[in-house]
């Protein structure tokens, strides 16, 4: 089926965001400071929230509906380390068939609710072979090889500018706070460049070699559309990856998605501890 990206104008998008906000406002008047997108196998953070309020995506007008089995689809509002948070438990992936605009839609809604800071988590493959399985990497920069972009189409100036700058999509101050928190919590962290591909297949050995040559340290199928929309709306952004497998083209073993989820789950408590410490510093 041909893509329908030009069927809707950007002002339709803006009114859809407003209607989504209206349906959330019927349930809660919570104004979040920080939006967090929880990644594959990384949804447990919300259990630490004080006074949580959860809203199913299905109850929010214009929200896409989650299809991946390992993801629940809920927006969870609550307090963590004294800060007001909204977390996406379950994200939308381009490979599921959503358009890039749909993938980015919840970020626009969370910004409209009040969040100025966006924290994006993911499970990623490690192209830098000095990474270890389960290690946490602070995303310094990204390469968009998804072959699409959530900002294509007419631009709505109420959301952001036509040609947003990408000189520093990931806020240096937040990366610094994450490193500081990691040191205090004695959690080893690394830094790296995240390369996004559409998926859903994993990569060939030749592709891994190419990605490494391009300057990427991590590879995954998410995050970049959300970050682009976040930058478009002038949000401050922190990206964190959990390395779930190493992508060594010379010793490549088939990866099992269950293994990836298991590694992400095992890293979960460490990442949650780091996030709580970072949020406290923000
Ligand atoms: N590619 C390879 N390994 C991975 C990925 C990916 O997109 N995501 C998590 N581990």
């Amino acid at each position: 089926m041909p893509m329908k990206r030009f069927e809707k104008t950007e002002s339709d998008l803006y009114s859809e965001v407003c209607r989504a906000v209206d349906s959330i406002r019927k349930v809660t008047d919570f104004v979040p400071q920080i939006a967090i997108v929880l990644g594959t196998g990384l949804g447990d953070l919300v259990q630490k929230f004080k006074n949580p309020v959860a809203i199913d995506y299905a109850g929010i007008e214009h929200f896409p509906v989650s299809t991946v089995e390992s993801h629940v689809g809920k927006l969870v509002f609550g307090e963590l380390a004294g800060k007001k948070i909204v977390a996406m438990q379950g994200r939308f992936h381009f490979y599921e068939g959503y358009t890039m605009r749909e993938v980015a839609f919840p970020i626009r809604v969370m910004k409209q609710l009040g969040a100025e800071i966006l924290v994006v988590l993911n499970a990623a493959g490690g192209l830098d072979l000095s990474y270890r399985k389960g290690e946490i990497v602070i995303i310094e920069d990204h390469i968009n090889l998804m072959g699409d972009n959530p900002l294509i189409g007419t631009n709505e100036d109420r959301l952001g500018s036509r040609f947003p700058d990408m000189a520093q999509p990931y806020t240096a101050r937040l990366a610094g706070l994450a490193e500081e928190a990691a040191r205090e919590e004695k959690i080893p962290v690394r830094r790296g460049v995240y390369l996004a591909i559409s998926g859903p297949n994993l990569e060939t050995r030749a592709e891994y070699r190419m990605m490494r040559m391009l300057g990427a340290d991590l590879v995954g199928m998410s995050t970049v559309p959300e970050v682009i929309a976040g930058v478009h709306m002038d949000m401050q952004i922190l990206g964190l990856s959990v390395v779930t497998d190493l992508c060594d083209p010379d010793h490549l073993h088939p990866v099992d998605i269950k293994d990836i989820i298991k590694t992400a789950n095992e890293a979960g408590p460490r990442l949650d501890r780091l996030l709580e410490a970072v949020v406290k510093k923000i």
Side-chain angles (χ1 to χ4, degrees), residues 123-125 197 202-203 208 219-221 244-245 247 260:
I197 29 80
L202 294 160
E203 295 72 34
Y208 284 141
V219 54
M221 305 171 191
T244 52
D245 53 293
C247 307
I260 287 179

Side-chain angles (χ1 to χ4, degrees), residues 36-215:
I36 305 181
V37 183
L38 302 167
T40 302
L42 303 169
D44 284 347
L45 182 74
V46 299
Q47 281 165 20
K48 291 192 174 183
F49 283 12
K50 264 199 209 138
N51 307 318
V53 174
I55 306 179
D56 280 343
Y57 293 159
I60 306 172
E61 221 181 321
H62 300 297
F63 242 61
V65 176
S66 194
T67 61
V68 177
E69 260 174 67
S70 53
H71 286 224
V72 276
K74 275 185 224 161
L75 269 193
V76 186
F77 299 86
E79 275 174 37
L80 182 72
K83 302 287 181 345
K84 295 185 132 189
I85 315 281
V86 55
M88 279 182 76
Q89 214 180 13
R91 63 140 60 89
F92 303 99
H93 293 92
F94 187 49
Y95 65 73
E96 293 173 87
Y98 301 108
T99 64
M100 290 287 260
R101 281 176 178 234
E102 286 170 330
V103 171
F105 184 78
I107 310 300
R108 301 205 176 280
V109 173
M110 294 190 293
K111 167 78 201 278
Q112 201 71 16
L113 288 169
E116 297 288 344
I117 292 174
L118 174 64
V119 179
V120 192
L121 311 180
N122 63 56
L127 296 162
D128 178 340
L129 300 179
S130 74
Y131 288 162
R132 285 199 231 136
K133 220 170 134 168
E135 201 161 34
I136 297 169
V137 182
I138 298 169
I139 302 175
E140 273 189 317
D141 206 346
H142 74 224
I143 298 173
N144 178 15
L145 282 191
M146 291 183 112
D148 204 345
N149 190 303
L151 307 184
I152 290 176
T154 47
N155 187 63
E156 166 56 65
D157 295 338
R158 283 172 288 189
L159 295 172
S161 70
R162 172 72 289 188
F163 301 110
D165 189 69
M166 281 286 158
Q168 197 177 80
Y170 301 85
T171 310
R173 185 183 76 91
L174 295 178
L177 290 182
E179 249 169 8
E180 206 177 285
R183 242 189 333 270
E184 287 166 15
E185 293 292 320
K186 299 192 169 38
I187 297 170
V189 288
R190 305 285 300 275
R191 285 189 178 231
V193 172
Y194 179 94
L195 184 149
I197 29 80
S198 70
N201 60 278
L202 294 160
E203 295 72 34
T204 65
R205 287 172 298 161
E207 285 167 341
Y208 284 141
R209 285 193 191 99
M210 175 196 73
M211 290 169 175
R212 196 67 190 133
M213 283 191 325
L214 291 178

